[in-house]
Amino acid sequence: MNIKRLWRHLTSSPWRVKRVLPRYAMLAIERAIRDSERTHRGQICFAIEGGLDLGPLLRGRTARQRAIEIFSRLRVWDTEHNNGVLIYLLLADHDVEIVADRGIHAQVGREGWEKICREMESAFREGRFEDGVLAGIRAVGELLTRHYPGRGANEIPDKPVML
């Protein structure tokens, strides 16, 4: 058990999320998702969580494991073309995970998603959370536009999810 990680998670509350991504930033993120989805048939979902609860922390839950759980819970996988993408930010770890449905993942691969995650995390280290998220949405949108051009139905809400 990493005591520093435990402390970061237990002291990361919803107010911290609102401090790094205030209401105006969340509205900008929602707008960016909506604008992006006008250029492709994919679906983008952004979720942010301050920190994990004690139980998952003690069991060693990783940001990746939590992202997969959220991907399922939010039904990002339930799209007509299997092209839903979750961008998940675990604020306490400054860790970004992208989980993509099998259709788009087969086109992009793990390395493509990892590149976007690392770029976002780089912006977060500089304290540029809104910029990092918006850049990530743009990068995911470009990949979706390349592989799923056109416009589809809005199957997943564009509003960011705060967990």
Side-chain angles (χ1 to χ4, degrees), residues 29 32-47 64 71 76 82-89 96-101 103-105 107-120 124 131-150 156 158:
I29 291 166
I33 292 170
R34 185 176 50 250
D35 291 347
S36 174
E37 289 179 352
R38 289 184 178 133
T39 67
H40 55 75
R41 292 172 301 163
Q43 298 295 306
I44 300 172
C45 179
F46 173 74
R64 181 75 185 164
F71 181 82
V76 179
N82 297 314
N83 57 6
V85 178
L86 170 69
I87 303 172
Y88 171 77
L89 168 57
V96 177
E97 294 290 337
I98 295 178
V99 182
D101 204 347
I104 186 63
H105 182 71
Q107 302 292 321
V108 175
R110 184 82 183 134
E111 299 78 27
W113 303 123
E114 283 296 321
K115 182 177 186 273
I116 296 170
C117 291
R118 299 303 77 87
E119 290 170 1
M120 291 175 70
F124 298 161
D131 292 342
V133 173
L134 294 176
I137 291 168
R138 276 191 303 276
V140 169
E142 289 169 6
L143 291 170
L144 287 165
T145 299
R146 183 180 320 145
H147 298 292
Y148 293 92
I156 298 173
D158 299 335

Side-chain angles (χ1 to χ4, degrees), residues 146-162:
R146 183 180 320 145
H147 298 292
Y148 293 92
R151 184 176 168 124
N154 193 8
E155 301 174 71
I156 298 173
D158 299 335
K159 185 176 181 177
V161 178
M162 191 178 337

